[in-house]
Amino acid sequence: MTVMVERRRVEVLIDEPLLPALVELAQAAGVSRYTLLPALGGAGAYGRWRDDQLSGATGKVMFLAITTRAAADAFVERLEPLLDSHNLMLLSSDVEVVRGPRFG
């Protein structure tokens, strides 16, 4: 039987130029493993947006991490003051993973 372990999934949609600061916050919270996914466009509270591919100034990235609840909570706490000022979209949910030790 496959053993499943509970972990926490945290996703942050962020403007690409802010990514180094986000990674620093993640690492300070104990989140050391993550995946970056390019975001091509979308629509939100401020209307439609699209990555222009020319300057990258409006490019967005989805930061995805699966970690322990404690590390996820610490990361979210560090991000909370930046949510409005940097127009971040933050998602957090419970997940079950195989090979739990690989995820924090």
Side-chain angles (χ1 to χ4, degrees):
M1 181 167 164
T2 303
V3 176
M4 302 294 283
V5 177
E6 280 192 22
R7 291 291 183 256
R8 198 82 181 147
R9 177 179 174 141
V10 180
E11 298 167 84
V12 184
L13 183 65
I14 188 167
D15 291 330
E16 193 169 1
L18 300 173
L19 191 56
L22 179 81
V23 170
E24 280 186 31
L25 290 174
Q27 290 174 338
V31 178
S32 58
R33 297 177 182 177
Y34 57 88
T35 299
L36 302 174
L37 305 168
L40 300 176
Y46 298 100
R48 294 180 56 94
W49 60 271
R50 183 177 158 181
D51 183 6
D52 66 11
Q53 296 289 319
L54 186 59
S55 70
T58 60
K60 294 189 184 290
V61 175
M62 181 64 78
F63 173 97
L64 167 65
I66 298 175
T67 189
T68 63
R69 179 172 293 279
D73 289 347
F75 184 38
V76 168
E77 186 174 319
R78 284 172 168 80
L79 285 176
E80 189 172 3
L82 305 175
L83 293 177
D84 289 331
S85 63
H86 291 79
N87 295 322
L88 303 181
M89 181 177 73
L90 171 65
L91 306 169
S92 183
S93 57
D94 291 325
V95 296
E96 291 184 336
V97 299
V98 177
R99 300 179 298 177
R102 287 182 170 221
F103 301 95

